[in-house]
Amino acid sequence: MKTSAIKIDNELSPNGFSVVPFAENPRLQVVKLASETVKEFIEQVLPLGVQAIEYKPFLRFRIADILNKLTNDTLGASLLSIIKNRGTGAFMLQCEPIVANFDPLEFNILLSTAVSHLIGVPNLDAMYGKFYARFSVKNEDDSDSYLRQAHRRMELHNDGTYVKERTDWVIMQKIAEENMEGGDSLLLHLDEWQDLEKFYNHPLAKEDIQWTSPASKNVSYKIQHPVFFEEDENNQPKMLFIDQFSEPLNMPQGQYLYEMGTSLEAEKNTFNVRVPVGSMLVLNNHVWLHGRDKFLANKGLYRELLRQRGAYYENAKLVEN
Ligand SMILES: [Fe+2]
């Protein structure tokens, strides 16, 4: 198996934003919107407001177009080229600081919506009932999955493993944090997982596994697909795995999945990313695994994330009722 090379499309010259590789892993690109772009976006888009884009889906495309126009139509093409290129496949989008009076929550929701609609169409998030979800981590938790539990590491996984909707990409935007120590995002590129070949060449790599989820996810069905569910245009594997929601039906499946989880958690090529408030991580969900490091105990701990997950335009489908 060949490992993906890190290639950047030099034909695209950014206008109103910059792109530089992340210091600790140059696959991850840091995209920074210039302060002029941010100011103009606030001026043109904030008057519309979040309620309007929730009620009228076409406005989500409209604000994406406004953002793209502010960059001379270069931002959308750059983001798609980073996310679809297996060698990179991920970016952290940030804004240069500006002096202006605006509601940061409204701004963040509008900005991540503009970004999501430059790379595709978000799925309805069943947990939250909207095209995006907001969820928080506090010091104490009594929910039914590890999503909100602060004092343990959330294991590496792909999103969208237990839903029918295709999840080509995932956006995780930091909305707020207070008294937060630890809790970094954890990232691993599939081609940097040293045991990939062992698990991809395994007899169970292409066998259907059943996936199910707890009540809080609001997904009433179970689905079946292999962990290595398809290959890209260069015949390289894509992955859909999450340890909590696989439902092995026999001992070999149980052992295969157990060993996979153990190998992923022991992988030394996993790296930490601190995502500042207002920044968002955007991942090609089939070539990047993500997780979260544990937080240090603190009574006042509060962290809120906004997520959007969806499909590229060419994979977006009409929903069958
Ligand atoms: Fe996730």
Side-chain angles (χ1 to χ4, degrees):
M1 199 179 316
K2 66 175 188 221
T3 302
S4 51
I6 305 167
K7 280 195 317 251
I8 307 291
D9 191 345
N10 293 322
E11 302 283 288
L12 300 165
S13 41
N15 198 308
F17 66 101
S18 60
V19 184
V20 295
F22 185 68
E24 278 174 55
N25 188 318
R27 292 184 185 277
L28 174 65
Q29 304 302 301
V30 180
V31 176
K32 197 168 259 185
L33 300 183
S35 48
E36 271 315 301
T37 310
V38 181
K39 262 193 238 155
E40 272 299 313
F41 182 78
I42 287 173
E43 215 155 279
Q44 294 188 38
V45 171
L46 259 70
L48 281 170
V50 168
Q51 190 180 67
I53 64 158
E54 288 184 357
Y55 288 1
K56 298 181 185 175
F58 60 71
L59 284 178
R60 304 170 200 163
F61 295 85
R62 169 79 187 132
I63 64 172
D65 187 52
I66 289 173
L67 180 59
N68 206 31
K69 289 274 181 332
L70 291 173
T71 65
N72 259 331
D73 289 325
T74 60
L75 183 65
S78 290
L79 299 184
L80 271 174
S81 133
I82 294 169
I83 203 94
K84 287 188 168 181
N85 174 349
R86 186 184 180 98
T88 51
F91 59 87
M92 177 154 65
L93 189 124
Q94 311 193 293
C95 295
E96 275 181 5
I98 55 154
V99 183
N101 226 341
F102 62 92
D103 177 338
L105 178 61
E106 289 263 315
F107 170 75
N108 283 329
I109 299 174
L110 291 161
L111 182 63
S112 55
T113 301
V115 170
S116 64
H117 288 75
L118 288 177
I119 58 173
V121 187
N123 298 327
L124 177 75
D125 197 305
M127 200 179 86
Y128 200 67
K130 296 183 178 183
F131 68 94
Y132 65 88
R134 285 169 56 194
F135 55 92
S136 55
V137 168
K138 296 182 189 141
N139 209 44
E140 268 113 54
D141 171 71
D142 58 359
S143 61
D144 58 4
S145 78
Y146 290 142
L147 181 66
R148 298 183 181 81
Q149 291 191 12
H151 309 305
R152 66 184 316 288
R153 174 174 156 128
M154 184 160 71
E155 291 88 348
L156 291 170
H157 63 276
N158 309 96
D159 272 12
T161 301
Y162 53 85
V163 296
K164 291 178 193 153
E165 290 85 4
R166 195 173 167 92
T167 310
D168 289 320
W169 47 260
V170 51
I171 297 179
M172 291 171 289
Q173 183 181 34
K174 177 81 64 68
I175 294 290
E177 66 176 42
E178 285 162 31
N179 304 304
M180 188 176 132
E181 271 184 90
D184 287 355
S185 294
L186 301 172
L187 293 181
L188 175 66
H189 192 285
L190 202 47
D191 295 340
E192 294 183 352
W193 178 25
Q194 297 169 75
D195 282 339
L196 171 63
E197 228 160 309
K198 171 180 155 194
F199 288 98
Y200 182 55
N201 294 325
H202 190 282
L204 295 183
K206 289 284 174 186
E207 184 165 302
D208 271 347
I209 302 288
Q210 182 149 286
W211 308 86
T212 188
S213 57
S216 66
K217 308 290 186 191
N218 293 332
V219 177
S220 56
Y221 52 83
K222 299 180 186 222
I223 62 164
Q224 295 81 29
H225 62 75
V227 171
F228 298 102
F229 72 106
E230 68 180 35
E231 278 69 38
D232 67 14
E233 60 286 359
N234 297 314
N235 214 23
Q236 300 300 298
K238 296 190 194 174
M239 187 169 175
L240 276 178
F241 170 78
I242 184 162
D243 56 356
Q244 290 179 74
F245 308 132
S246 65
E247 210 171 60
L249 297 180
N250 53 50
M251 186 60 81
Q253 285 188 355
Q255 278 175 331
Y256 178 63
L257 294 163
Y258 167 75
E259 283 171 20
M260 184 174 292
T262 307
S263 163
L264 286 168
E265 290 316 291
E267 177 54 66
K268 297 279 182 289
N269 287 331
T270 300
F271 64 103
N272 285 44
V273 183
R274 180 104 200 149
V275 182
V277 172
S279 297
M280 65 189 97
L281 269 180
V282 185
L283 307 175
N284 178 325
N285 184 50
H286 299 143
V287 300
W288 280 93
L289 293 127
H290 64 276
R292 187 197 60 221
D293 216 346
K294 54 180 182 279
F295 297 87
L296 296 191
N298 185 317
K299 282 240 168 306
L301 168 69
Y302 181 77
R303 186 211 63 167
E304 186 175 343
L305 271 196
L306 182 149
R307 79 172 171 217
Q308 296 190 43
R309 310 186 278 208
Y312 299 131
Y313 281 120
E314 60 272 27
N315 293 336
K317 280 201 189 111
L318 294 172
V319 174
E320 289 170 38
N321 289 312

